[in-house]
Amino acid sequence: MKTALSRSLALGLLLLAGNALAQSTPAQSLPEWEKLTPQQRDALIAPVRERWNSDPDDRPRMLEHAQRWKSMTPEQRRQARKGMRRFEGMNPHQREEARVLFLRMKDLPPEQRKKLRDDWKAMTPEQRRAWIQKNAPQDSRQAPPPLPPLPPR
């Protein structure tokens, strides 16, 4: 849970810094990295520097995430940003469901992923809740908090 949230926060902070820079200057006039002023570079990396310094245990994951991001195609990056925006708009219960589904689906072959998505869409809220509780990680580092009770019908 912490890692997914940390990833979202890191990417979000980086995107916010980039958005702030982009809003102050038209995109067409922004130079290559090497031609940015020290102030522009600092505006882009300050959020990452702050997280890097404040959480030494998270540094290996941050570095791995940066390397993975660099190797992504523009389309994969677009999809990642889209997913991050969707995740940010979710309530805590929806986020927990998304985390558990992601952790379960990430290692499945495509045909099993499709089946799980189809099964998920057909489930009632009670069935989804039971599935989440059954499939939530047992590792104490990733163990999600207990899910809130379902709202009355």
Side-chain angles (χ1 to χ4, degrees):
M1 183 168 103
K2 181 184 175 194
T3 11
L5 186 56
S6 295
R7 285 183 189 148
S8 294
L9 284 172
L11 186 55
L13 289 172
L14 192 56
L15 291 174
L16 286 174
N19 285 341
L21 181 63
Q23 288 174 359
S24 65
T25 311
Q28 296 82 5
S29 67
L30 291 174
E32 297 288 321
W33 178 265
E34 293 75 20
K35 295 179 182 173
L36 290 174
T37 66
Q39 294 83 9
Q40 289 171 319
R41 288 182 187 184
D42 193 53
L44 287 167
I45 62 172
V48 176
R49 181 187 311 117
E50 187 176 309
R51 284 201 53 240
W52 184 271
N53 289 336
S54 68
D55 194 355
D57 293 339
D58 206 24
R59 290 176 187 171
R61 191 211 50 80
M62 289 176 67
L63 182 60
E64 183 271 329
H65 181 79
Q67 290 167 336
R68 190 173 66 236
W69 183 260
K70 188 176 178 180
S71 71
M72 292 171 122
T73 65
E75 176 60 19
Q76 289 171 324
R77 290 179 185 180
R78 188 185 70 70
Q79 287 295 328
R81 286 185 192 104
K82 181 181 173 185
M84 186 182 70
R85 283 190 298 273
R86 231 175 61 215
F87 186 81
E88 289 171 347
M90 294 178 180
N91 66 43
H93 179 71
Q94 291 169 321
R95 285 182 182 193
E96 188 53 39
E97 285 182 348
R99 279 185 199 100
V100 174
L101 277 167
F102 173 79
L103 289 171
R104 181 74 172 96
M105 283 188 175
K106 74 178 186 172
D107 297 323
L108 292 177
E111 61 278 353
Q112 288 180 350
R113 255 187 246 146
K114 181 184 179 329
K115 181 178 179 347
L116 180 53
R117 269 193 301 273
D118 293 343
D119 291 348
W120 181 261
K121 289 175 186 175
M123 289 181 195
T124 66
E126 293 81 11
Q127 290 170 325
R128 288 180 179 181
R129 182 181 174 88
W131 188 93
I132 292 295
Q133 288 177 338
K134 177 183 173 194
N135 289 278
Q138 300 306 310
D139 171 310
S140 62
R141 187 178 60 82
Q142 293 184 356
L147 295 173
L150 288 172
R153 289 185 168 198

